[in-house]
């Protein structure tokens, strides 16, 4: 669960890593995500999936993107939640679950 109760502060999930050891040279091809919330997200909330050196802005609670393609797949990733401005977020934004699937390939692109 990820909760944001203050505008202007980035909330990050714990680092997520692959569940199994990946082969050497594995590179991201695409990322799928599915997020559930406790209600409608307020206007101005932004979410990103970040790996070292690059972030993928999410355009919804579920989707797919190849924007992180080519990054080593064994890098950790985090989900970041942000809302510009200052002051309290009432009620707080609560991401109840988040599932992120990183698809990868081994070897040079074809």
């Amino acid at each position: 669960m990820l909760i944001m109760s203050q505008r202007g502060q980035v909330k990050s999930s714990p680092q997520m890593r692959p569940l199994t050891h990946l082969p050497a040279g594995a590179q991201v091809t695409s990322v799928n995500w599915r997020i559930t919330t406790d209600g409608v997200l307020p206007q101005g909330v932004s979410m990103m999936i970040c790996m070292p050196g690059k972030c993928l802005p999410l355009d919804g609670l579920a989707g797919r993107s190849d924007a992180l393609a080519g990054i080593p797949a064994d890098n950790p990733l985090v989900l970041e939640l942000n809302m510009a401005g200052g002051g309290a977020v009432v009620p707080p934004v609560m991401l109840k679950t988040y599932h992120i699937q990183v698809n990868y390939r081994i070897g040079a692109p074809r």
Side-chain angles (χ1 to χ4, degrees):
M1 189 176 308
L2 191 58
I3 300 171
M4 181 180 62
S5 59
Q6 190 70 31
R7 288 178 175 84
Q9 296 179 353
V10 176
K11 292 299 248 183
S12 298
S13 69
Q15 281 191 348
M16 295 174 262
R17 293 192 165 275
L19 296 175
T20 60
H21 177 73
L22 298 181
Q27 294 183 343
V28 174
T29 56
S30 65
V31 177
N32 300 317
W33 67 91
R34 186 171 29 103
I35 299 167
T36 59
T37 67
D38 67 339
V40 177
L41 292 178
Q43 188 74 18
V45 171
S46 64
M47 297 179 290
M48 295 188 295
I49 295 173
C50 296
M51 294 182 97
K54 193 165 187 180
C55 289
L56 163 64
L58 304 184
D59 57 4
L61 295 174
R64 180 195 173 282
S65 175
D66 61 359
L68 298 176
I71 294 176
D74 62 351
N75 276 321
L77 62 83
V78 295
L79 176 63
E80 292 187 353
L81 183 61
N82 188 13
M83 189 172 187
V89 178
V90 180
V93 174
M94 184 182 306
L95 303 185
K96 293 170 72 174
T97 63
Y98 43 93
H99 301 274
I100 300 172
Q101 176 184 344
V102 177
N103 302 300
Y104 66 91
R105 72 165 179 273
I106 303 164
R110 297 176 190 223

